[in-house]
Structure formats: C-alpha cells, structure tokens
Amino acid sequence: MSSTFLYGGNVCANGIRQHYLRYGSRANEHAARPAIVLIPGITSPAITWGFVGEVLGTRFDTYVLDVRGRGLSSASDTLDYSLDAQADDIVELVKALGLASFSLVGHSMGARIAARAASRIESGLQSIVLIDPPASGPGRRPYPSQLPWYVDSMALARTGMDAEAVRQFCPTWTFEQRQLRAEWLHTCDERAVLASFKGFHEDDFFADAARLRVPSLLITAERGDVVTSEDVGELQRATPSMLHTRVPNAGHMIPWDNEAGFYAALSDFLGASVTLDASRR
C-alpha cells in the first residue's frame, strides 16, 4: 500500500518556527472531514508518530506537530516552554495552516496542551482526543515516570546512541521503534523537557478538561497508573459528555504497545474509522 505521507513543512506561528509532518490524500479526498492536528508527548518528535500519521492519513488530512523544543521546531535558552506558550502555539498553528475545521489529538503532554488550547481556540475546533494524559497536578499524586529516565536517555542521545542503547529505557519496543528514538531523541531540548515535567506537577489538567465544550474522547492504557479509574471518574463527572475507552495490553505509549487497539478505541469518533492494514506494516 502506498504511503500517505505528503510532506514536511514549517510555519511561523506564535512567534516561533513550528515544524509538522502532513499525511493524507494528494487528491484532497478528505476535505469533507475535519483535519487532525496530532500533538505528541514530552520526548516524542513528530517523526516518531509517523506510523500513526500514515494510518490516520488514509481517512483524514493529518498534521503531526513537533512541539516547541522538540524535533525541528524552534528551541533556545530564551524560549518559553510553559504549557500556556505551548497551547498558544496550537491556537496560532491552526490559523497559519488555514484549517477551518479540525480536531486535536494529543498524547500525554500533548493531551494537556490540547486541553489548554481548546478554551483559547475561537472557531473551527470540532472535537478533542486525550490519550493517557498525566493526571498529576497541584495536590495530586506525582507523575509516575521519574525525571532521570528522561534526563539520562537524552544525555546518552546527545553523545550518540543506537537501538540497543535505547533498550534499557524502552525494553518492550521493537528494533524499528528503538532505532527511530535513537535517531531523534537528541532533538529534544533538555530545558523544554524539564519545564514540561515541572508543569506536570504544577498545571491543573483537570480544570482544563472541565472547560471542554466540544465532544471529547479519553483514551487510557490498561497497564500503568498515569490515569487511574478514579481519575476517569472525576473527569467524566466534570464533563459528563466525555467518552472513555481503555486499550487492553497497552502501557502509556499506547500505539506502540497495541496499535490496532488504539485505532479501535478511536472508532468513528473523529468522523470516520481507521484500521491497521497489515499490508502497510
């Protein structure tokens, strides 16, 4: 099956360079459906979500973002890496891309960015998917991953690492997944990651989620404790219309562990269903 990758691009939005990868149809076959803006997690450049972009691109015009301080987007020692700045990036990105109708799909940190951005977007937002968002925050339990896991792996990446070296950090991943992380992890700015990790404990995700006014879907992992059943209950009480699906046989990096289960969890929430085509893999 042919690739749905169209091109990589950059826009100047919110005063910085924002890099993205675009997937979809060259014939613009998906124009009737809302586009998808996919926002990755704390140390996941856009390219590491390319395998998901390929599949989403079979049904949707899909943009996978390099969040500031990751991949090929702007990074510097003077850049603001706060959640507010990241949310404003999304607000300005969709304007710069000229998207009149779109959905936000965010994983982990990206889900928290999407939830914060949603209340700031004036028009065009149709729905939002929150994939295993960190439920940590003021007065709540800490985020279960430890900071040295990020710092040590990034330090090794900056010196040069291979798939085997990644195994100590991601032991269940395939060779291809580990090799891609080895290639791109060095593009994650440590200052950005430190600021985002700090924000996991200081920013109130539950308050942002309670303000959602568009259809929302919460996707959580069966394994791990990033989002507990108690967290799900609290989120759905605050936003009764929020749908929820737990993906079996998956940890926090859900599509890496159970890609087919991830697409099944999306179902037709975004306007069309997608499935994992075995011939593509």
Side-chain angles (χ1 to χ4, degrees), residues 37 39 102-106 110-119 121 125-131 205 208-209 212-219 242-243 266 269-270:
V37 177
I39 312 167
F102 57 92
S103 297
L104 299 181
V105 176
R112 291 169 69 111
I113 295 171
R116 179 67 59 93
S119 64
I121 294 173
L125 180 61
Q126 303 302 311
S127 62
I128 186 168
V129 178
L130 306 171
I131 308 167
F205 165 71
D208 289 333
L212 294 176
R213 295 295 178 263
V214 295
S216 57
L217 170 63
L218 175 66
I219 297 177
M242 180 181 289
L243 304 176
L266 285 174
F269 176 79
L270 293 168

Side-chain angles (χ1 to χ4, degrees), residues 129-150:
V129 178
L130 306 171
I131 308 167
D132 224 41
S136 50
R140 299 181 180 274
R141 69 185 187 282
Y143 183 58
S145 292
Q146 300 299 306
L147 186 58
W149 188 92
Y150 299 104

Side-chain angles (χ1 to χ4, degrees), residues 9-257:
N10 296 280
V11 294
C12 179
N14 199 28
I16 67 167
R17 180 187 68 256
Q18 297 195 48
H19 175 258
Y20 63 89
L21 302 176
R22 187 178 182 183
Y23 299 82
S25 166
R26 296 187 183 278
N28 202 27
E29 297 170 351
H30 311 325
R33 302 186 187 105
I36 291 176
V37 177
L38 197 160
I39 312 167
I42 189 169
T43 54
S44 295
I47 189 64
T48 63
W49 277 80
F51 70 107
V52 176
E54 286 279 7
V55 176
L56 294 178
T58 63
R59 305 304 297 274
F60 303 96
D61 189 17
T62 302
Y63 299 82
V64 186
L65 176 65
D66 271 331
V67 177
R68 60 170 58 201
R70 286 87 175 170
L72 301 181
S73 288
S74 290
S76 77
D77 57 2
T78 61
L79 204 60
D80 181 357
Y81 291 116
S82 68
L83 180 60
D84 283 330
Q86 294 169 331
D88 287 340
D89 285 347
I90 303 303
V91 175
E92 297 305 318
L93 174 72
V94 296
K95 292 178 183 178
L97 293 174
L99 301 182
S101 177
F102 57 92
S103 297
L104 299 181
V105 176
H107 172 249
S108 192
M109 178 192 74
R112 291 169 69 111
I113 295 171
R116 179 67 59 93
S119 64
R120 304 179 178 199
I121 294 173
E122 296 177 354
S123 64
L125 180 61
Q126 303 302 311
S127 62
I128 186 168
V129 178
L130 306 171
I131 308 167
D132 224 41
S136 50
R140 299 181 180 274
R141 69 185 187 282
Y143 183 58
S145 292
Q146 300 299 306
L147 186 58
W149 188 92
Y150 299 104
V151 173
D152 293 349
S153 60
M154 289 188 296
L156 187 57
R158 288 193 296 272
T159 66
M161 68 193 309
D162 58 14
E164 186 58 33
V166 175
R167 188 190 298 275
Q168 64 182 298
F169 302 99
C170 307
T172 65
W173 288 20
T174 66
F175 171 83
E176 290 78 13
Q177 291 167 347
R178 288 184 281 112
Q179 186 59 42
L180 194 61
R181 187 167 179 82
E183 180 184 0
W184 282 89
L185 183 58
H186 76 93
T187 70
C188 294
D189 191 294
E190 184 173 305
R191 294 160 296 198
V193 174
L194 292 175
S196 294
F197 190 87
K198 185 170 182 281
F200 284 175
H201 301 89
E202 296 181 352
D203 297 313
D204 191 345
F205 165 71
F206 283 80
D208 289 333
R211 287 192 287 267
L212 294 176
R213 295 295 178 263
V214 295
S216 57
L217 170 63
L218 175 66
I219 297 177
T220 60
E222 182 182 61
R223 300 198 307 266
D225 56 355
V226 173
V227 187
T228 66
S229 296
E230 290 75 17
D231 297 327
V232 173
E234 182 177 350
L235 289 166
Q236 290 189 308
R237 285 191 295 275
T239 308
S241 62
M242 180 181 289
L243 304 176
H244 171 244
T245 301
R246 274 206 188 279
V247 179
N249 303 314
H252 181 57
M253 303 298 285
I254 295 175
W256 280 253
D257 292 336

